Amino acid sequence: QAADSKREQFRQYLEKSGVLDMLTKVLVALYEEPEKPDSALDFLKHHLGASAPENPEIKALRLEVAEMKEKYEAVLEENKKLKTKVKVY
């Protein structure tokens, strides 16, 4: 009976923390997938990982990439203008 009590406490913990709901949603998504993936485990990892909070390092890298894209576009525009000036001379 102690094992049942521990099991019930653990189930309540998982339910309260949202783990059961998340697992249920991902398993339902897998069930409803028209073409089952080769690896159900990879499907679960992908869908569980996609809903996790973003790692702060990844967030910083995304911001850096966005800034670099802006700089790149500015450099391309400047290059275009300089090429036009060179043609004039």
Side-chain angles (χ1 to χ4, degrees):
Q1 209 171 20
D4 286 342
S5 175
K6 276 187 163 186
R7 192 174 300 143
E8 180 59 22
Q9 286 176 345
F10 186 65
R11 188 196 63 73
Q12 288 175 354
Y13 162 74
L14 292 176
E15 190 172 336
K16 189 186 294 185
S17 63
V19 171
L20 288 181
D21 187 44
M22 181 62 70
L23 285 173
T24 301
K25 286 179 182 177
V26 173
L27 290 172
V28 167
L30 177 60
Y31 175 77
E32 292 176 346
E33 190 71 24
E35 291 186 26
K36 303 296 184 242
D38 293 333
S39 172
L41 186 57
D42 286 344
F43 181 91
L44 294 175
K45 285 179 183 178
H46 173 73
H47 282 79
L48 288 173
S51 60
E54 190 170 48
N55 180 334
E57 187 177 325
I58 292 174
K59 191 173 183 179
L61 289 171
R62 289 186 195 279
L63 182 60
E64 186 178 346
V65 166
E67 290 171 358
M68 292 296 165
K69 284 182 180 179
E70 285 180 27
K71 287 180 182 178
Y72 172 74
E73 293 298 325
V75 167
L76 283 180
E77 188 62 33
E78 183 182 9
N79 188 12
K80 194 173 173 182
K81 289 177 183 176
L82 290 173
K83 283 183 178 181
T84 304
K85 283 183 179 181
V86 166
K87 284 182 182 178
V88 170
Y89 297 116

Coordinates of all heavy atoms in Angstrom, one line a residue:
Q1 N 0.8 -1.2 0.0 CA 0.0 0.0 0.0 C 0.9 1.3 0.0 O 0.5 2.3 -0.6 CB -0.9 0.0 1.2 CG -2.2 0.7 1.0 CD -3.2 0.5 2.1 OE1 -2.8 0.1 3.2 NE2 -4.4 0.8 1.9
A2 N 2.1 1.2 0.6 CA 3.0 2.3 0.6 C 3.4 2.6 -0.8 O 3.6 3.8 -1.2 CB 4.2 2.0 1.5
A3 N 3.6 1.6 -1.6 CA 4.0 1.8 -3.0 C 2.9 2.5 -3.8 O 3.2 3.4 -4.6 CB 4.4 0.5 -3.7
D4 N 1.7 2.1 -3.5 CA 0.5 2.8 -4.2 C 0.4 4.3 -3.8 O 0.1 5.1 -4.6 CB -0.8 2.1 -3.9 CG -0.9 0.8 -4.6 OD1 -0.2 0.5 -5.6 OD2 -1.8 -0.1 -4.1
S5 N 0.7 4.5 -2.5 CA 0.6 5.9 -2.0 C 1.7 6.8 -2.7 O 1.5 7.9 -3.1 CB 0.8 5.9 -0.5 OG 0.9 7.2 0.0
K6 N 2.9 6.2 -2.8 CA 4.0 6.9 -3.4 C 3.7 7.2 -4.9 O 4.0 8.2 -5.4 CB 5.3 6.1 -3.3 CG 6.1 6.3 -2.0 CD 7.4 5.6 -2.1 CE 8.3 6.1 -1.1 NZ 9.7 5.6 -1.2
R7 N 3.2 6.1 -5.5 CA 2.8 6.3 -6.9 C 1.8 7.4 -7.2 O 1.9 8.2 -8.1 CB 2.3 4.9 -7.4 CG 2.2 4.8 -8.9 CD 1.8 3.4 -9.4 NE 2.8 2.4 -9.0 CZ 2.5 1.2 -8.6 NH1 1.3 0.8 -8.6 NH2 3.5 0.4 -8.3
E8 N 0.8 7.4 -6.3 CA -0.3 8.4 -6.4 C 0.3 9.8 -6.1 O 0.0 10.8 -6.8 CB -1.4 8.1 -5.4 CG -2.5 9.1 -5.4 CD -3.2 9.3 -6.8 OE1 -3.2 8.3 -7.6 OE2 -3.8 10.3 -7.0
Q9 N 1.2 9.9 -5.2 CA 1.8 11.2 -4.9 C 2.6 11.7 -6.1 O 2.6 12.9 -6.5 CB 2.8 11.1 -3.7 CG 2.0 11.1 -2.4 CD 3.0 10.9 -1.2 OE1 4.1 10.5 -1.4 NE2 2.5 11.1 0.0
F10 N 3.3 10.8 -6.7 CA 4.1 11.1 -7.9 C 3.2 11.5 -9.1 O 3.5 12.5 -9.8 CB 5.0 9.9 -8.3 CG 6.0 10.2 -9.4 CD1 7.0 11.2 -9.2 CD2 5.9 9.6 -10.6 CE1 7.9 11.5 -10.3 CE2 6.7 9.9 -11.7 CZ 7.7 10.8 -11.5
R11 N 2.1 10.8 -9.2 CA 1.2 11.1 -10.3 C 0.6 12.5 -10.1 O 0.5 13.3 -11.0 CB 0.0 10.1 -10.3 CG -0.9 10.3 -11.6 CD -2.2 9.6 -11.4 NE -3.0 10.1 -10.3 CZ -3.7 11.3 -10.3 NH1 -3.6 12.1 -11.3 NH2 -4.4 11.6 -9.2
Q12 N 0.3 12.8 -8.8 CA -0.2 14.2 -8.5 C 0.8 15.3 -8.8 O 0.5 16.3 -9.3 CB -0.7 14.2 -7.1 CG -2.0 13.5 -6.8 CD -2.4 13.4 -5.4 OE1 -1.6 13.9 -4.5 NE2 -3.5 12.9 -5.1
Y13 N 2.1 14.9 -8.5 CA 3.2 15.9 -8.7 C 3.3 16.1 -10.2 O 3.4 17.3 -10.7 CB 4.5 15.3 -8.2 CG 5.7 15.9 -8.7 CD1 6.1 17.1 -8.3 CD2 6.5 15.2 -9.6 CE1 7.3 17.7 -8.8 CE2 7.7 15.7 -10.1 CZ 8.1 17.0 -9.7 OH 9.2 17.5 -10.2
L14 N 3.3 15.1 -11.0 CA 3.4 15.2 -12.5 C 2.2 16.0 -13.0 O 2.3 16.8 -13.9 CB 3.4 13.8 -13.1 CG 4.7 13.1 -12.9 CD1 4.6 11.7 -13.5 CD2 5.9 13.8 -13.4
E15 N 1.0 15.7 -12.5 CA -0.2 16.4 -12.9 C -0.1 17.9 -12.6 O -0.4 18.8 -13.4 CB -1.4 15.8 -12.3 CG -2.7 16.3 -12.9 CD -3.9 15.5 -12.4 OE1 -3.8 14.4 -12.0 OE2 -5.0 16.1 -12.5
K16 N 0.3 18.2 -11.4 CA 0.3 19.6 -10.9 C 1.4 20.4 -11.7 O 1.2 21.6 -12.0 CB 0.7 19.6 -9.4 CG 0.6 21.0 -8.8 CD 1.1 21.1 -7.4 CE 0.2 20.3 -6.4 NZ 0.6 20.4 -5.0
S17 N 2.5 19.8 -12.0 CA 3.5 20.5 -12.8 C 3.3 20.6 -14.3 O 4.1 21.2 -15.0 CB 4.9 19.8 -12.5 OG 4.9 18.5 -13.0
G18 N 2.2 20.0 -14.8 CA 1.9 20.1 -16.2 C 2.5 19.0 -17.1 O 2.3 19.0 -18.3
V19 N 3.3 18.1 -16.4 CA 4.0 17.1 -17.2 C 3.0 16.1 -17.9 O 3.1 15.8 -19.1 CB 5.0 16.3 -16.3 CG1 5.6 15.1 -17.1 CG2 6.1 17.2 -15.9
L20 N 2.0 15.7 -17.2 CA 1.0 14.7 -17.7 C 0.3 15.4 -18.9 O 0.1 14.7 -19.9 CB 0.0 14.3 -16.7 CG 0.6 13.3 -15.6 CD1 -0.5 12.9 -14.6 CD2 1.2 12.1 -16.3
D21 N -0.1 16.6 -18.7 CA -0.8 17.3 -19.8 C 0.0 17.4 -21.1 O -0.4 17.2 -22.2 CB -1.3 18.7 -19.3 CG -2.1 19.4 -20.3 OD1 -3.1 18.8 -20.9 OD2 -1.9 20.6 -20.6
M22 N 1.3 17.8 -20.9 CA 2.2 18.0 -22.0 C 2.5 16.6 -22.7 O 2.4 16.5 -23.9 CB 3.6 18.5 -21.5 CG 4.6 18.7 -22.6 SD 4.1 19.9 -23.9 CE 4.1 21.4 -23.0
L23 N 2.7 15.6 -21.9 CA 2.9 14.2 -22.5 C 1.7 13.8 -23.3 O 1.8 13.2 -24.4 CB 3.3 13.2 -21.4 CG 4.7 13.3 -20.9 CD1 4.9 12.3 -19.7 CD2 5.8 13.0 -22.0
T24 N 0.5 14.0 -22.7 CA -0.7 13.6 -23.3 C -0.9 14.3 -24.7 O -1.2 13.7 -25.7 CB -1.9 13.9 -22.4 OG1 -1.8 13.2 -21.2 CG2 -3.2 13.5 -23.1
K25 N -0.6 15.7 -24.7 CA -0.7 16.4 -25.9 C 0.2 15.9 -27.0 O -0.1 15.7 -28.2 CB -0.4 17.9 -25.7 CG -1.5 18.6 -25.0 CD -1.2 20.1 -24.7 CE -2.3 20.8 -23.9 NZ -2.0 22.1 -23.6
V26 N 1.5 15.6 -26.6 CA 2.5 15.1 -27.6 C 2.1 13.7 -28.1 O 2.2 13.4 -29.3 CB 3.9 15.1 -27.0 CG1 4.9 14.5 -27.9 CG2 4.3 16.6 -26.7
L27 N 1.6 12.9 -27.2 CA 1.2 11.5 -27.6 C 0.0 11.6 -28.5 O -0.1 10.8 -29.5 CB 1.0 10.6 -26.4 CG 2.2 10.3 -25.6 CD1 1.9 9.5 -24.3 CD2 3.2 9.4 -26.5
V28 N -0.9 12.5 -28.2 CA -2.1 12.6 -29.1 C -1.7 13.1 -30.5 O -2.2 12.6 -31.5 CB -3.2 13.6 -28.5 CG1 -4.2 14.0 -29.5 CG2 -3.8 12.9 -27.2
A29 N -0.7 14.1 -30.5 CA -0.2 14.6 -31.8 C 0.4 13.4 -32.6 O 0.2 13.3 -33.8 CB 0.8 15.7 -31.5
L30 N 1.2 12.6 -31.9 CA 1.8 11.4 -32.6 C 0.7 10.5 -33.1 O 0.8 10.0 -34.2 CB 2.7 10.7 -31.6 CG 3.4 9.4 -32.2 CD1 4.2 9.7 -33.4 CD2 4.3 8.8 -31.1
Y31 N -0.3 10.2 -32.3 CA -1.4 9.3 -32.6 C -2.1 9.9 -33.9 O -2.5 9.1 -34.8 CB -2.4 9.2 -31.5 CG -3.6 8.4 -31.8 CD1 -3.5 7.0 -31.9 CD2 -4.8 9.0 -32.1 CE1 -4.7 6.2 -32.2 CE2 -5.9 8.3 -32.4 CZ -5.9 6.9 -32.4 OH -7.0 6.1 -32.7
E32 N -2.3 11.2 -33.9 CA -3.1 11.8 -35.0 C -2.2 12.1 -36.3 O -2.8 12.4 -37.3 CB -3.7 13.1 -34.5 CG -4.8 12.9 -33.5 CD -5.4 14.1 -32.9 OE1 -4.8 15.2 -33.1 OE2 -6.5 14.1 -32.3
E33 N -0.9 11.8 -36.2 CA 0.0 12.0 -37.3 C -0.4 11.1 -38.4 O -0.4 9.8 -38.2 CB 1.4 11.8 -36.8 CG 2.5 12.2 -37.8 CD 2.6 13.7 -38.0 OE1 2.3 14.5 -37.1 OE2 3.1 14.1 -39.1
P34 N -0.8 11.6 -39.6 CA -1.2 10.6 -40.7 C -0.1 9.7 -41.1 O -0.4 8.5 -41.3 CB -1.6 11.6 -41.8 CG -1.2 12.9 -41.4 CD -0.8 12.9 -40.0
E35 N 1.1 10.2 -41.2 CA 2.2 9.3 -41.6 C 3.1 9.2 -40.4 O 3.8 10.2 -40.0 CB 3.0 9.9 -42.8 CG 2.2 9.8 -44.1 CD 3.0 10.2 -45.3 OE1 4.2 10.1 -45.2 OE2 2.3 10.6 -46.3
K36 N 3.1 8.1 -39.7 CA 3.9 7.9 -38.5 C 5.4 8.1 -38.8 O 5.9 7.6 -39.8 CB 3.7 6.5 -37.9 CG 2.2 6.3 -37.6 CD 1.7 7.2 -36.5 CE 0.3 6.9 -36.1 NZ -0.7 7.9 -36.4
P37 N 6.1 8.8 -38.0 CA 7.6 9.0 -38.2 C 8.3 7.7 -38.0 O 7.8 6.8 -37.3 CB 8.0 10.0 -37.2 CG 6.9 10.0 -36.1 CD 5.7 9.5 -36.8
D38 N 9.5 7.6 -38.6 CA 10.3 6.4 -38.4 C 10.7 6.2 -36.9 O 10.7 5.1 -36.4 CB 11.6 6.4 -39.2 CG 11.3 6.4 -40.7 OD1 10.3 5.8 -41.1 OD2 12.1 6.9 -41.5
S39 N 10.9 7.3 -36.2 CA 11.3 7.2 -34.8 C 10.3 8.0 -34.0 O 10.3 9.2 -34.0 CB 12.7 7.7 -34.6 OG 13.0 7.8 -33.2
A40 N 9.5 7.2 -33.2 CA 8.5 7.9 -32.3 C 9.3 8.6 -31.2 O 8.8 9.7 -30.8 CB 7.6 6.8 -31.7
L41 N 10.4 8.1 -30.8 CA 11.2 8.8 -29.8 C 11.7 10.1 -30.3 O 11.6 11.1 -29.5 CB 12.4 7.9 -29.3 CG 13.2 8.4 -28.2 CD1 12.3 8.7 -26.9 CD2 14.3 7.4 -27.8
D42 N 12.2 10.2 -31.5 CA 12.6 11.5 -32.1 C 11.5 12.5 -32.2 O 11.6 13.7 -31.9 CB 13.3 11.3 -33.4 CG 14.7 10.7 -33.3 OD1 15.2 10.7 -32.2 OD2 15.2 10.2 -34.4
F43 N 10.3 12.0 -32.5 CA 9.1 12.8 -32.6 C 8.8 13.4 -31.2 O 8.6 14.6 -31.1 CB 7.9 12.0 -33.0 CG 6.6 12.7 -33.2 CD1 6.3 13.3 -34.4 CD2 5.7 12.8 -32.1 CE1 5.1 14.0 -34.5 CE2 4.5 13.5 -32.2 CZ 4.2 14.1 -33.4
L44 N 8.9 12.6 -30.2 CA 8.6 13.1 -28.8 C 9.7 14.1 -28.4 O 9.3 15.1 -27.9 CB 8.6 11.9 -27.8 CG 7.4 10.9 -28.0 CD1 7.6 9.7 -27.0 CD2 6.1 11.6 -27.8
K45 N 10.9 13.8 -28.7 CA 12.0 14.7 -28.3 C 11.8 16.0 -29.0 O 12.0 17.1 -28.3 CB 13.4 14.1 -28.7 CG 13.8 13.0 -27.8 CD 15.2 12.5 -28.3 CE 15.7 11.3 -27.5 NZ 17.0 10.8 -28.0
H46 N 11.5 16.0 -30.3 CA 11.3 17.2 -31.0 C 10.2 18.1 -30.5 O 10.3 19.3 -30.2 CB 11.1 16.9 -32.5 CG 10.8 18.1 -33.3 ND1 11.7 19.1 -33.6 CD2 9.6 18.6 -33.8 CE1 11.1 20.0 -34.3 NE2 9.8 19.7 -34.5
H47 N 9.0 17.4 -30.2 CA 7.9 18.2 -29.8 C 8.0 18.6 -28.3 O 7.4 19.6 -28.0 CB 6.6 17.3 -30.1 CG 6.2 17.4 -31.5 ND1 6.8 16.6 -32.4 CD2 5.3 18.1 -32.1 CE1 6.3 16.9 -33.6 NE2 5.3 17.8 -33.4
L48 N 8.6 17.8 -27.5 CA 8.8 18.3 -26.1 C 9.9 19.4 -26.1 O 9.7 20.3 -25.3 CB 9.2 17.1 -25.2 CG 8.1 16.1 -25.0 CD1 8.6 14.9 -24.2 CD2 7.0 16.7 -24.2
G49 N 10.9 19.3 -26.9 CA 11.9 20.3 -26.9 C 11.4 21.6 -27.4 O 11.9 22.7 -27.0
A50 N 10.6 21.5 -28.4 CA 10.1 22.7 -29.0 C 9.2 23.6 -28.1 O 9.1 24.8 -28.2 CB 9.2 22.4 -30.3
S51 N 8.6 22.9 -27.1 CA 7.7 23.7 -26.2 C 8.4 24.1 -24.9 O 7.8 24.7 -24.1 CB 6.5 22.8 -25.9 OG 6.9 21.6 -25.2
A52 N 9.7 23.7 -24.8 CA 10.4 24.1 -23.6 C 10.8 25.6 -23.7 O 11.0 26.1 -24.8 CB 11.7 23.2 -23.4
P53 N 11.0 26.2 -22.5 CA 11.5 27.6 -22.6 C 12.8 27.7 -23.3 O 13.6 26.8 -23.2 CB 11.6 28.0 -21.1 CG 10.9 26.9 -20.3 CD 10.8 25.7 -21.2
E54 N 13.0 28.8 -24.0 CA 14.2 28.9 -24.8 C 15.4 29.2 -23.9 O 15.3 30.0 -23.0 CB 14.0 30.1 -25.8 CG 15.1 30.1 -26.8 CD 14.9 31.1 -27.9 OE1 14.5 32.2 -27.6 OE2 15.0 30.7 -29.1
N55 N 16.5 28.5 -24.2 CA 17.7 28.7 -23.5 C 18.2 30.1 -23.7 O 18.2 30.6 -24.8 CB 18.7 27.7 -24.1 CG 20.1 27.7 -23.4 OD1 20.5 28.7 -22.9 ND2 20.8 26.6 -23.5
P56 N 18.6 30.8 -22.6 CA 19.1 32.2 -22.7 C 20.2 32.4 -23.7 O 20.3 33.4 -24.4 CB 19.5 32.5 -21.3 CG 18.9 31.5 -20.4 CD 18.7 30.3 -21.2
E57 N 21.1 31.4 -23.8 CA 22.2 31.4 -24.7 C 21.7 31.4 -26.2 O 22.1 32.2 -27.0 CB 23.2 30.3 -24.5 CG 24.4 30.3 -25.3 CD 25.4 29.2 -25.0 OE1 25.5 28.8 -23.9 OE2 26.1 28.8 -26.0
I58 N 20.7 30.6 -26.4 CA 20.1 30.5 -27.8 C 19.4 31.8 -28.1 O 19.5 32.4 -29.2 CB 19.1 29.3 -27.9 CG1 19.9 28.0 -27.8 CG2 18.3 29.4 -29.2 CD1 19.0 26.8 -27.8
K59 N 18.7 32.4 -27.1 CA 18.1 33.7 -27.3 C 19.1 34.8 -27.7 O 18.8 35.6 -28.6 CB 17.3 34.1 -26.0 CG 16.4 35.2 -26.2 CD 15.5 35.4 -24.9 CE 14.5 36.5 -25.1 NZ 13.7 36.7 -23.9
A60 N 20.2 34.8 -27.0 CA 21.2 35.8 -27.2 C 21.8 35.6 -28.6 O 22.1 36.5 -29.4 CB 22.3 35.7 -26.2
L61 N 22.0 34.3 -29.0 CA 22.5 34.0 -30.4 C 21.5 34.5 -31.5 O 21.9 35.0 -32.5 CB 22.9 32.5 -30.5 CG 24.1 32.1 -29.7 CD1 24.2 30.6 -29.8 CD2 25.4 32.7 -30.2
R62 N 20.2 34.2 -31.2 CA 19.2 34.7 -32.2 C 19.3 36.2 -32.4 O 19.2 36.7 -33.5 CB 17.8 34.3 -31.7 CG 17.6 32.8 -31.9 CD 16.1 32.5 -31.5 NE 15.9 31.1 -31.3 CZ 15.7 30.1 -32.2 NH1 15.8 30.5 -33.5 NH2 15.5 28.9 -31.9
L63 N 19.4 36.9 -31.2 CA 19.5 38.4 -31.3 C 20.8 38.8 -32.1 O 20.7 39.7 -32.9 CB 19.6 38.9 -29.9 CG 19.6 40.4 -29.7 CD1 18.4 41.1 -30.4 CD2 19.7 40.8 -28.3
E64 N 21.9 38.1 -31.8 CA 23.1 38.4 -32.5 C 23.0 38.2 -34.0 O 23.4 39.0 -34.8 CB 24.3 37.6 -31.9 CG 25.6 38.0 -32.5 CD 26.8 37.2 -31.9 OE1 26.6 36.5 -30.8 OE2 27.8 37.2 -32.5
V65 N 22.3 37.1 -34.4 CA 22.1 36.8 -35.8 C 21.3 37.9 -36.4 O 21.6 38.4 -37.6 CB 21.5 35.4 -36.0 CG1 20.9 35.2 -37.4 CG2 22.5 34.3 -35.7
A66 N 20.2 38.3 -35.8 CA 19.4 39.4 -36.3 C 20.2 40.7 -36.5 O 20.0 41.4 -37.5 CB 18.2 39.6 -35.4
E67 N 21.0 41.0 -35.5 CA 21.9 42.2 -35.6 C 22.8 42.1 -36.8 O 23.0 43.0 -37.6 CB 22.6 42.5 -34.4 CG 21.8 42.9 -33.2 CD 22.5 42.9 -31.9 OE1 23.7 42.6 -31.8 OE2 21.9 43.3 -30.9
M68 N 23.4 40.9 -37.0 CA 24.4 40.7 -38.1 C 23.7 40.8 -39.4 O 24.2 41.3 -40.4 CB 25.0 39.3 -37.9 CG 26.0 39.2 -36.8 SD 27.4 40.4 -37.0 CE 28.0 40.4 -35.4
K69 N 22.4 40.3 -39.5 CA 21.7 40.4 -40.8 C 21.4 41.9 -41.1 O 21.6 42.3 -42.3 CB 20.3 39.7 -40.6 CG 20.5 38.2 -40.7 CD 19.1 37.5 -40.7 CE 19.2 36.0 -40.8 NZ 17.9 35.4 -40.7
E70 N 21.1 42.7 -40.1 CA 20.9 44.1 -40.4 C 22.2 44.8 -40.9 O 22.2 45.5 -41.8 CB 20.5 44.8 -39.1 CG 19.0 44.6 -38.7 CD 18.6 45.3 -37.4 OE1 19.2 46.3 -37.1 OE2 17.7 44.8 -36.8
K71 N 23.3 44.4 -40.2 CA 24.6 45.0 -40.6 C 25.0 44.5 -42.0 O 25.5 45.3 -42.8 CB 25.7 44.6 -39.6 CG 25.6 45.3 -38.3 CD 26.8 44.8 -37.4 CE 26.7 45.5 -36.0 NZ 27.7 45.0 -35.1
Y72 N 24.7 43.3 -42.3 CA 25.0 42.7 -43.7 C 24.2 43.5 -44.7 O 24.7 43.9 -45.8 CB 24.6 41.3 -43.7 CG 24.7 40.6 -45.0 CD1 25.9 40.3 -45.6 CD2 23.5 40.3 -45.7 CE1 25.9 39.7 -46.9 CE2 23.5 39.7 -47.0 CZ 24.8 39.4 -47.5 OH 24.8 38.8 -48.8
E73 N 22.9 43.7 -44.4 CA 22.0 44.5 -45.4 C 22.6 45.9 -45.6 O 22.6 46.4 -46.7 CB 20.6 44.5 -44.9 CG 19.9 43.2 -44.9 CD 19.8 42.5 -46.3 OE1 19.6 43.3 -47.3 OE2 19.9 41.3 -46.4
A74 N 23.0 46.5 -44.5 CA 23.6 47.9 -44.6 C 24.8 47.9 -45.4 O 25.1 48.8 -46.3 CB 23.8 48.4 -43.2
V75 N 25.7 46.9 -45.2 CA 26.9 46.8 -46.0 C 26.6 46.6 -47.5 O 27.3 47.1 -48.4 CB 27.9 45.7 -45.4 CG1 29.0 45.4 -46.4 CG2 28.4 46.1 -44.1
L76 N 25.7 45.7 -47.8 CA 25.3 45.5 -49.2 C 24.8 46.8 -49.8 O 25.2 47.1 -51.0 CB 24.2 44.4 -49.3 CG 24.6 43.0 -49.1 CD1 23.3 42.1 -49.2 CD2 25.6 42.6 -50.1
E77 N 24.0 47.5 -49.1 CA 23.5 48.8 -49.6 C 24.6 49.8 -49.9 O 24.7 50.4 -50.9 CB 22.5 49.4 -48.6 CG 21.8 50.6 -49.2 CD 20.9 50.3 -50.4 OE1 20.4 49.2 -50.6 OE2 20.8 51.2 -51.3
E78 N 25.6 49.9 -48.9 CA 26.7 50.7 -49.1 C 27.6 50.3 -50.3 O 28.0 51.1 -51.0 CB 27.6 50.7 -47.8 CG 28.8 51.7 -47.8 CD 29.6 51.6 -46.6 OE1 29.4 50.7 -45.7 OE2 30.5 52.4 -46.5
N79 N 27.8 49.0 -50.4 CA 28.5 48.5 -51.5 C 27.9 48.9 -52.9 O 28.6 49.3 -53.8 CB 28.6 47.0 -51.4 CG 29.6 46.3 -52.4 OD1 30.3 47.0 -53.0 ND2 29.5 45.0 -52.5
K80 N 26.6 48.8 -52.9 CA 25.8 49.1 -54.1 C 26.1 50.6 -54.5 O 26.3 51.0 -55.6 CB 24.4 48.9 -53.9 CG 23.5 48.8 -55.1 CD 22.1 48.4 -54.6 CE 21.1 48.5 -55.7 NZ 19.7 48.1 -55.2
K81 N 26.0 51.5 -53.5 CA 26.2 52.9 -53.7 C 27.7 53.2 -54.1 O 27.9 54.0 -55.0 CB 25.9 53.7 -52.4 CG 24.5 53.7 -52.1 CD 24.2 54.5 -50.8 CE 22.7 54.5 -50.4 NZ 22.5 55.1 -49.1
L82 N 28.6 52.5 -53.5 CA 30.0 52.7 -53.9 C 30.3 52.2 -55.3 O 31.0 52.9 -56.0 CB 30.9 52.0 -52.9 CG 31.0 52.6 -51.5 CD1 31.8 51.7 -50.6 CD2 31.6 54.0 -51.5
K83 N 29.7 51.1 -55.7 CA 29.8 50.6 -57.1 C 29.3 51.7 -58.1 O 29.9 51.9 -59.1 CB 29.1 49.3 -57.3 CG 29.9 48.1 -56.7 CD 29.1 46.8 -57.0 CE 29.9 45.6 -56.4 NZ 29.2 44.4 -56.7
T84 N 28.2 52.3 -57.7 CA 27.6 53.3 -58.6 C 28.6 54.5 -58.7 O 28.8 55.0 -59.8 CB 26.2 53.8 -58.0 OG1 25.4 52.6 -57.9 CG2 25.6 54.8 -58.9
K85 N 29.2 54.9 -57.6 CA 30.1 56.0 -57.6 C 31.3 55.7 -58.4 O 31.9 56.5 -59.2 CB 30.5 56.4 -56.2 CG 29.5 57.2 -55.4 CD 30.0 57.6 -54.1 CE 29.0 58.4 -53.3 NZ 29.5 58.8 -52.0
V86 N 31.8 54.4 -58.3 CA 33.0 54.0 -59.1 C 32.7 54.1 -60.6 O 33.6 54.5 -61.4 CB 33.5 52.6 -58.6 CG1 34.5 52.0 -59.6 CG2 34.0 52.7 -57.2
K87 N 31.5 53.7 -61.0 CA 31.2 53.7 -62.4 C 31.2 55.1 -62.9 O 31.5 55.3 -64.1 CB 29.8 53.1 -62.6 CG 29.8 51.6 -62.5 CD 28.4 51.0 -62.8 CE 28.4 49.5 -62.7 NZ 27.0 49.0 -62.9
V88 N 30.8 56.1 -62.1 CA 30.8 57.5 -62.5 C 32.2 57.9 -62.8 O 32.5 58.7 -63.8 CB 30.1 58.4 -61.5 CG1 30.3 59.8 -61.8 CG2 28.6 58.0 -61.3
Y89 N 33.2 57.5 -62.0 CA 34.6 58.0 -62.2 C 35.2 57.1 -63.2 O 36.0 57.2 -63.9 CB 35.3 57.9 -60.9 CG 34.8 58.8 -59.8 CD1 34.2 58.3 -58.7 CD2 34.8 60.2 -60.0 CE1 33.7 59.2 -57.7 CE2 34.3 61.1 -59.1 CZ 33.8 60.6 -57.9 OH 33.3 61.4 -57.0

